[in-house]
């Protein structure tokens, strides 16, 4: 085990099986991240911006406060406000005061943002299928189970 990782990192051995597993996880995450970054870049946005659009599409038409968007991010981003600012400048999201609590600002995806997310959907789906072709259904379930064991206790 670990031959692909040894070749990829040009490393003959690892300190421990846990070290090897961590490096494998980081390399695999980088592999997936690189493909998502290229996909997003082709549409003029970042992966973090796509993540915000994905979150807000799920809340459409209601939207979320910034703190709820931040809590739902795949990768925690300390600059969620700036990400939303950039999306707003491009007309992909809008902010409005909550009718229940005037102190609360809700961010909503705009029609333009929905259109962009829909244009990206076939390519995102193709990325999911690529992962599915590389792994069996059982492997996918096992990968999810193991991944959750790594981070679930920290939430």
């Amino acid at each position: 085990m670990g031959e692909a990782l040894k070749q990829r990192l040009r490393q003959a051995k690892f300190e421990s099986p846990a070290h090897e597993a961590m490096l494998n996880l980081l390399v695999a995450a980088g592999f997936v991240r690189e493909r998502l970054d290229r996909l997003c870049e082709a549409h003029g946005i970042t992966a973090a911006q796509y993540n915000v659009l994905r979150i807000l599409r799920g809340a459409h038409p209601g939207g979320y406060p910034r703190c709820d968007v931040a809590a739902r991010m795949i990768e925690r981003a300390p600059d969620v406000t700036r990400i939303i600012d950039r999306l707003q400048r491009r007309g992909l999201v809008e902010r409005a005061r909550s009718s229940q609590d005037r102190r609360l600002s809700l961010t909503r995806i705009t029609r333009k943002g929905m259109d962009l997310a829909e244009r990206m959907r076939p390519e995102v789906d193709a990325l999911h299928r690529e992962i599915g072709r590389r792994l069996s259904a059982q492997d996918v379930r096992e990968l999810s189970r193991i991944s959750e064991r790594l981070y679930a206790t920290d939430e």
Side-chain angles (χ1 to χ4, degrees):
M1 193 139 137
E3 291 308 311
L5 182 65
K6 287 176 182 176
Q7 288 178 358
R8 166 72 174 73
L9 298 182
R10 298 180 184 159
Q11 184 171 335
K13 60 182 181 170
F14 303 99
E15 294 172 20
S16 67
H19 180 238
E20 182 179 351
M22 184 185 75
L23 291 174
N24 254 317
L25 182 61
L26 291 170
V27 169
F31 172 84
V32 173
R33 163 61 68 185
E34 180 183 321
R35 277 151 182 76
L36 183 60
D37 285 344
R38 280 195 308 235
L39 187 162
C40 291
E41 186 179 311
H43 290 275
I45 63 172
T46 66
Q49 290 171 333
Y50 174 74
N51 192 11
V52 170
L53 291 178
R54 180 193 62 77
I55 290 163
L56 295 174
R57 180 178 61 197
H60 183 71
Y64 285 125
R66 183 199 53 79
C67 60
D68 286 356
V69 171
R72 287 173 167 79
M73 297 283 292
I74 293 170
E75 292 182 15
R76 302 290 188 217
D79 60 343
V80 173
T81 300
R82 279 182 269 152
I83 294 168
I84 291 171
D85 288 344
R86 288 185 204 109
L87 290 170
Q88 186 176 19
R89 281 194 296 274
R90 294 195 50 204
L92 300 172
V93 302
E94 62 187 8
R95 290 189 183 122
R97 293 279 169 211
S98 167
S99 57
Q100 287 80 26
D101 183 349
R102 300 293 299 156
R103 297 169 294 175
L104 191 63
S105 173
L106 294 176
T107 303
R108 295 184 185 105
I109 192 168
T110 63
R111 178 80 253 155
K112 185 176 176 182
M114 290 287 281
D115 291 345
L116 175 59
E118 284 305 310
R119 281 194 312 275
M120 292 177 71
R121 184 185 297 258
E123 294 170 64
V124 172
D125 289 348
L127 181 57
H128 294 166
R129 285 191 304 276
E130 178 183 349
I131 300 304
R133 280 192 301 273
R134 291 171 178 265
L135 302 173
S136 70
Q138 180 179 347
D139 286 344
V140 169
R141 286 189 300 275
E142 186 70 0
L143 178 60
S144 288
R145 185 189 67 74
I146 291 169
S147 296
E148 284 184 9
R149 286 189 64 193
L150 285 173
Y151 67 79
T153 58
D154 290 343
E155 293 292 314

